[in-house]
Amino acid sequence: MPQTYSYDAYTVSFPKDGVAVVEINRPEALNAFTETMIVDIGRIFEQLSTDSDCRAIVLTGAGDKAFTAGLDIKKANLAGSAEVVDPARKMISELRPMLMKLQNAVTQAEKSLKPVITVLHGYSFGMAIDLSTATDIRVCTEDVKLSVKEVDIGLAADVGSLSRLVKVVGSMSWVKDICFTARVFGAEEALKQGLVSAIYKNKKDALEGALRLAELIASKSPVAVQGSKELLNYSVDHSVEDGLRYTAAWNPGALQTTDIPLAVQGSLTRTKPRFEKL
Amino acid sequence: MPQTYSYDAYTVSFPKDGVAVVEINRPEALNAFTETMIVDIGRIFEQLSTDSDCRAIVLTGAGDKAFTAGLDIKKANLAGSAEVVDPARKMISELRPMLMKLQNAVTQAEKSLKPVITVLHGYSFGMAIDLSTATDIRVCTEDVKLSVKEVDIGLAADVGSLSRLVKVVGSMSWVKDICFTARVFGAEEALKQGLVSAIYKNKKDALEGALRLAELIASKSPVAVQGSKELLNYSVDHSVEDGLRYTAAWNPGALQTTDIPLAVQGSLTRTKPRFEKL
Amino acid sequence: MPQTYSYDAYTVSFPKDGVAVVEINRPEALNAFTETMIVDIGRIFEQLSTDSDCRAIVLTGAGDKAFTAGLDIKKANLAGSAEVVDPARKMISELRPMLMKLQNAVTQAEKSLKPVITVLHGYSFGMAIDLSTATDIRVCTEDVKLSVKEVDIGLAADVGSLSRLVKVVGSMSWVKDICFTARVFGAEEALKQGLVSAIYKNKKDALEGALRLAELIASKSPVAVQGSKELLNYSVDHSVEDGLRYTAAWNPGALQTTDIPLAVQGSLTRTKPRFEKL
Amino acid sequence: MPQTYSYDAYTVSFPKDGVAVVEINRPEALNAFTETMIVDIGRIFEQLSTDSDCRAIVLTGAGDKAFTAGLDIKKANLAGSAEVVDPARKMISELRPMLMKLQNAVTQAEKSLKPVITVLHGYSFGMAIDLSTATDIRVCTEDVKLSVKEVDIGLAADVGSLSRLVKVVGSMSWVKDICFTARVFGAEEALKQGLVSAIYKNKKDALEGALRLAELIASKSPVAVQGSKELLNYSVDHSVEDGLRYTAAWNPGALQTTDIPLAVQGSLTRTKPRFEKL
Amino acid sequence: MPQTYSYDAYTVSFPKDGVAVVEINRPEALNAFTETMIVDIGRIFEQLSTDSDCRAIVLTGAGDKAFTAGLDIKKANLAGSAEVVDPARKMISELRPMLMKLQNAVTQAEKSLKPVITVLHGYSFGMAIDLSTATDIRVCTEDVKLSVKEVDIGLAADVGSLSRLVKVVGSMSWVKDICFTARVFGAEEALKQGLVSAIYKNKKDALEGALRLAELIASKSPVAVQGSKELLNYSVDHSVEDGLRYTAAWNPGALQTTDIPLAVQGSLTRTKPRFEKL
Amino acid sequence: MPQTYSYDAYTVSFPKDGVAVVEINRPEALNAFTETMIVDIGRIFEQLSTDSDCRAIVLTGAGDKAFTAGLDIKKANLAGSAEVVDPARKMISELRPMLMKLQNAVTQAEKSLKPVITVLHGYSFGMAIDLSTATDIRVCTEDVKLSVKEVDIGLAADVGSLSRLVKVVGSMSWVKDICFTARVFGAEEALKQGLVSAIYKNKKDALEGALRLAELIASKSPVAVQGSKELLNYSVDHSVEDGLRYTAAWNPGALQTTDIPLAVQGSLTRTKPRFEKL
């Protein structure tokens, strides 16, 4: 029985076999994130991670103007409640738990073994970077306007951008430039620095491109794809030696899959195998 | 009361509000470094780190010919004193302490929470890489001549280049190429590989560009900027999970800053806030 | 007395002073790897690591068509023997030891202190990535066809590609794209992403280029070059602080080398020193 | 408004100011754990972590016979569902998620900043070790019968015992002895090896002792106590250097607490301060 | 077909079902180790690790006087060959490879998944600590004379004692005391500090005790025991979080073993199951 | 020329050849620490680390009543200056730098390669634990009164106790007990838990015992002793594998010492060698 996805500010659809599209759906506010919305996107990734109909995910924002303008600062309560006056109590009982809740939601995109492709278009500020760097592949439109916006509202980005940018692109000089200045940069720069791996003319093309990529991934052995995601995520955070050791713990179970004879057979006979759900 | 900076081979000035310029000032020797000069640059960064007039730093070299030609090998005593004959004693009581002293000096640029932008021009050999990779942002001139020069004097770079290059650029193939061959490379290659994030026509333009960038950074909330530097430096050396945990220790204190309401207010009213010194 | 290298599917030669060329020599099968061949290449790197006639290594594949088409899937027994039915026993006593044996062989290229340059040409699938990412420098031909092929045969790459790609190139978005899709990509893309550091017109030129590079490296102080390799490999897997500490353990011994006065003298007199074997 | 705690197999009470007692309440089955019960204990720790009425927690088991006999193996489905035949699919989509869910539940005791004291009595097998090693302090009765029981049902302990025993006691020789043999050991041995820090004559005394200890902890500054727990937990998993750096991120916020002047005043005047809730 | 073990200075026997006894057999020299002997003991552990007749190993020394007096300093060439005069060349091409070869041999005891119990009696100096700390469980006789002897011959212990003692016992104050002084200590002290987990009256009793323990371990599910060893060894070197993640990679394969239903059945019916070889 | 040691609150003497005694000398205030005193003890350890007359250090407190009563809370300004009102500015520009300065001072005892033995007697609260856990060996008197006192003044210990206690003793249950309660414990408990490695009847005996131990250490090869300290300190913070690799970087230089032939000769002829200064 297929799962249902019912979230206030999101639309989840399955336009292609095995491919889920998650759309941030608050275009009237440039898809700006409220606290609830951040928690909800975490729930969606968690739910999709156990939905066997889903083998790859595309993340996008509704409307033409923005993937997301970032945190909805009018609704956010960045500094905690006024009644708690002891800075230490505010820190330990309010701000830290709130922060960890938001971090944890964003991290679901990374913890899920299902590959996630983010389509960045229009305004893609703040949370756009936090969220998309927790996903696997980023593509964008020619008109994208990207920014690690947090310093402009007086804070160091804290739901993931700073911890993940240093892992997903190569140039620290560039990362620090964009993080210290909050300057807006475009598609070409994002591609050149490796933040995105493709540029499309417009949102329609980008979405189609992302869907094709998701479909391609969904057509592969899910045992192989999901293992690859876990091993890559582990490896980027550990030494090569540890990466190999973890692989040697994971793969001896995974290699017993029926997908391998199926895939090898397909490869030898040049026919396309169909892999069971996972 | 403003601090004073009096160092033999350096000029420290404050040409813009909140922006310090540190100039290596030994142009007659192509700004080559003596041991004392390395120790002194560490002291300068340490002093600036607690100088509330300083919010961003530009590092440059005097003269047109060189940022620095590297270590002054005529004055360096790379192999320790002749009278110690036991290789182990020479290692433990002479060479290791000397090496750690120099490493420690260079590391001050990284430990300081104030962003540092290095302007590389002309000869930028050896120490130029050691030092600039410990800073945050690197820009260069069209005529820059860069080289990890150490193998050409018979040693593996040991005051930071090898430990930091692998963190600040993405391509290991390129890093090993330049480290094993000590070959000289130019601006375009440095930009393409992400070692620098901008090229300027000449030194004058580069210095102006770096100053503008420094001014921009200095105009942002120093709580936000300095937190961002610390979180990025921590994150590049730790797992994503650890990066998030460290952020959740740091930010709940920093989020209580008065800069946030000020910045949010500025953002909503589209006026430019002025942030207090830090 | 020179060492001899006698391996079924490899030719090892020394065309230049100090430079070894290891050729995968099974062109009739597009240099596809059997299990024995993987073990043997590990032995070759191990042997070369203690061969004082060798200061730099070039790795290439025989024939015009392929560096290697990858694992010889007709001969591979990916899923272990049929008679072991308990999945846990198959995992612990068969697949894990086999996997670790292959990982260990590939890792010899990394553990050896001698720099290794891989020349990728034609089909360079699967094992081509596993093996070449364990070497130091990668160059390729214009016609190279690269692919992290493993998901196409139903498995997550497990002898090194996933653990090393995240360390040798900068863009995680691109790494995940190529690992999840197994798509074939070419020279320009590999160069842009930093997987290779040079493209040559054809195999002949690439081999010559690699040999020149190897010769250049072999002409430098081997104490400096080999120390640089070890320190870079250590640093990519550790924090900057740990990298510096390790350097401060290694270099105080290495700095006592007679190569330094020789190199400094050469540098001051602009003559080319000849360094002793190591 | 006080929180309510309503869980099938647990009783949560607050017998002392600031002290919660969590009782595993399934004595008819020697407090054996079902999967649901493990998930629920995680929820209880999570709920208590944000309950400002709770400053310290005592964990105990109902009845005289057992803290817990361990996993309820009659109800557990250790090997997953029969209908999934592909070993890799069973591994990835069933067993790993189930395992991570249970690990995550147990880990809540560790993640919560509220100190947890476990009272071990009677049969304390398997889950007793998994769970109590995730808590902070362990005390026991003279009649306790402890065992890392997992190998006796054919598996390596996987919800925490193996990962935590090596951190909470000093002797690896002893840890391996008890883990490889699953032998039952008693109070004296547990005390000698540091697994518990106190032995009481019987359950009544042990519970009273634990309550007194919890009360004492609850009387201290909760800012100080909870910070100490977080810093100890971080430090045991990181280098000393990282531990100090994390402390230097955490404490500068916490040191601004109003508890410090209160505590210092109390210390100087030898009066007992009362600290606000956290 | 059973494997054969033929090594000059060792006797390997199988006195009990599934239990191998490795005896250092050079009593005329107090079982002092030559370089070859160290390499050979690594080979023995490697061979036993794939010998399905072996489920647990006892390591002992022939004769009444000594487990081992340590390195045979008359035969050792600690400082390398006289003809290499460059300290850096001696370091890189001679001493480091030799050291890594010896470290690697000792590490085989740890890498093997088969539990190893060391029986320490009489003189147990230097290599006795290096070797036994790489094994899992240590027991000793009342007359044992233990010493980290290396500083007495002018060196810091380098084949494992220093890296492992800090992991296998709890008190750093004690570890540093014995390492800095090389003083001889006895059975009671070793037991109190957790270096050994049992003392026996004499060698005969100790060997019998170790054999009984080995037999007990060998009677358990080898899937469970060997998994436990790997997970404990991984966990002692990683954070709790990493330990749990590694467990969640390893166990989902191992849980599919036929040993679990067999063990559960045995547990429920209180009969002793017989587990298949691994 | 011997170095001179002139510090307000310390006496440094050399009662035995190669042995320095550092005495905290503010008995009228129970040797309580001011901020300056903490900075100064760091300077003393730094100075001794390069004093070739010093091979081992004894740390003690003047007077009969206390090693140290801890931080002088009357003089400490734990919460920073009153004029800084922004909690984030207070955190970043005042409290964190102050904290890091104190941590850094205490860490000098650990960074120095010279072994340090602390003699704990009488009141040994707070800083007594911070400081002594950064030294190598701890001994105490029968009348010692130990306490991790910090929670009693409202803070989590932040100059080292929490980060180091988890490394220097084995039982986490005990560490958390003493850290959460700040209870006073005595010599027997400290010995049992491995915090100290010897108890002496009174201060006079303890000092004599520590001096004898220091003399013994000072009589050994300083190359061996200091290498052992560095390798142990590195190893406790790294994996076994990393520990071995670091050893393989350090020892190949150290093994070339003239101390080894001297020591081996001494060992073979049963004469006591005299080792050169380091």
Side-chain angles (χ1 to χ4, degrees), chain D residues 181-204:
Chain D
T181 63
R183 71 177 171 78
V184 178
F185 60 95
E188 279 305 327
E189 190 171 342
L191 182 68
K192 195 185 151 310
Q193 298 292 347
L195 181 61
V196 302
S197 44
I199 303 178
Y200 292 91
K201 200 177 176 60
N202 52 42
K203 191 186 160 190
K204 186 169 158 291

Side-chain angles (χ1 to χ4, degrees), chain F:
Chain F
M1 207 180 64
Q3 298 195 24
T4 58
Y5 293 82
S6 169
Y7 294 89
D8 271 2
Y10 297 95
T11 315
V12 179
S13 59
F14 288 80
K16 305 271 180 180
D17 199 29
V19 178
V21 172
V22 178
E23 188 188 47
I24 314 169
N25 196 356
R26 200 189 169 213
E28 69 283 7
L30 295 176
N31 295 322
F33 278 89
T34 61
E35 201 184 307
T36 309
M37 280 172 68
I38 301 178
V39 172
D40 275 355
I41 192 122
R43 288 198 181 124
I44 292 171
F45 284 121
E46 217 177 343
Q47 196 182 339
L48 286 168
S49 79
T50 61
D51 184 337
S52 63
D53 285 333
C54 168
R55 297 190 183 190
I57 301 164
V58 172
L59 175 64
T60 183
D64 286 334
K65 292 204 189 127
F67 171 73
T68 175
L71 196 66
D72 187 334
I73 55 172
K74 286 175 204 157
K75 302 208 171 174
N77 186 2
L78 291 165
S81 59
E83 60 266 34
V84 180
V85 292
D86 181 15
R89 281 178 167 68
K90 192 172 277 186
M91 162 192 162
I92 295 176
S93 72
E94 266 197 89
L95 297 174
R96 184 171 173 270
M98 188 264 292
L99 186 46
M100 290 174 78
K101 186 174 64 177
L102 302 187
Q103 286 180 345
N104 188 48
V106 168
T107 297
Q108 297 309 315
E110 195 174 272
K111 280 205 177 153
S112 160
L113 298 184
K114 313 286 172 77
V116 186
I117 302 157
T118 302
V119 179
L120 297 157
H121 79 281
Y123 293 105
S124 296
F125 285 4
M127 271 297 298
I129 310 294
D130 288 298
L131 196 53
S132 68
T133 52
T135 69
D136 300 293
I137 296 172
R138 284 159 296 285
V139 301
C140 71
T141 59
E142 283 180 5
D143 78 338
V144 78
K145 284 170 281 295
L146 294 147
S147 170
V148 182
K149 200 65 183 166
E150 280 86 346
V151 296
D152 270 353
I153 49 170
L155 61 127
D158 52 17
V159 298
S161 289
L162 301 183
S163 295
R164 290 197 176 94
L165 272 171
V166 297
K167 309 272 174 172
V168 302
V169 300
S171 171
M172 268 301 259
S173 185
W174 181 74
V175 167
K176 286 182 166 173
D177 173 357
I178 59 167
C179 291
F180 294 164
T181 62
R183 71 175 171 80
V184 177
F185 58 95
E188 279 305 327
E189 191 171 342
L191 181 69
K192 195 185 150 310
Q193 299 292 347
L195 181 61
V196 302
S197 44
I199 304 178
Y200 292 90
K201 201 175 176 60
N202 52 40
K203 190 184 161 192
K204 184 168 159 291
D205 287 6
L207 209 47
E208 282 173 14
L211 279 171
R212 272 195 309 274
L213 179 54
E215 245 190 312
L216 175 59
I217 294 172
S219 74
K220 308 278 172 180
S221 155
V223 170
V225 167
Q226 297 185 25
S228 296
K229 176 166 176 178
E230 173 65 9
L231 297 181
L232 285 167
N233 280 353
Y234 181 92
S235 294
V236 82
D237 277 346
H238 292 81
S239 67
V240 168
E241 203 144 37
D242 264 5
L244 294 173
R245 189 175 182 182
Y246 190 74
T247 306
W250 180 280
N251 256 26
L255 287 169
Q256 302 183 41
T257 181
T258 49
D259 286 10
I260 293 182
L262 203 63
V264 168
Q265 184 62 17
S267 177
L268 296 175
T269 58
R270 296 178 186 270
T271 56
K272 208 178 145 135
R274 269 191 69 83
F275 300 100
E276 245 187 280
K277 287 184 182 180
L278 174 67

Side-chain angles (χ1 to χ4, degrees), chain A residues 173 177, chain B residues 58-59 67 116-121 124 132 135-142 144 146 187 190-191 195-200 203 205-211 213:
Chain A
S173 185
D177 173 356
Chain B
V58 172
L59 175 64
F67 171 73
V116 186
I117 303 156
T118 302
V119 179
L120 297 157
H121 80 281
S124 296
S132 67
T135 70
D136 300 295
I137 296 172
R138 282 160 297 283
V139 301
C140 70
T141 59
E142 284 180 4
V144 77
L146 294 147
L191 182 69
L195 181 61
V196 302
S197 44
I199 304 179
Y200 292 91
K203 190 185 161 191
D205 288 5
L207 208 47
E208 282 173 14
L211 279 171
L213 179 54

Side-chain angles (χ1 to χ4, degrees), chain D residues 105-202:
Chain D
V106 168
T107 297
Q108 296 308 315
E110 194 174 273
K111 281 206 177 155
S112 160
L113 298 183
K114 313 288 173 76
V116 186
I117 303 156
T118 301
V119 179
L120 297 157
H121 80 280
Y123 293 105
S124 297
F125 285 5
M127 271 297 296
I129 309 294
D130 288 298
L131 196 52
S132 67
T133 52
T135 69
D136 300 293
I137 297 171
R138 283 160 296 285
V139 301
C140 71
T141 58
E142 285 180 3
D143 78 337
V144 77
K145 284 171 281 296
L146 295 147
S147 169
V148 182
K149 201 63 185 169
E150 281 86 346
V151 295
D152 270 353
I153 49 170
L155 61 128
D158 52 16
V159 298
S161 289
L162 301 183
S163 295
R164 290 195 176 95
L165 273 171
V166 297
K167 309 272 174 170
V168 302
V169 299
S171 170
M172 269 299 261
S173 184
W174 181 74
V175 167
K176 287 183 166 172
D177 172 356
I178 59 168
C179 291
F180 293 164
T181 63
R183 71 177 171 78
V184 178
F185 60 95
E188 279 305 327
E189 190 171 342
L191 182 68
K192 195 185 151 310
Q193 298 292 347
L195 181 61
V196 302
S197 44
I199 303 178
Y200 292 91
K201 200 177 176 60
N202 52 42

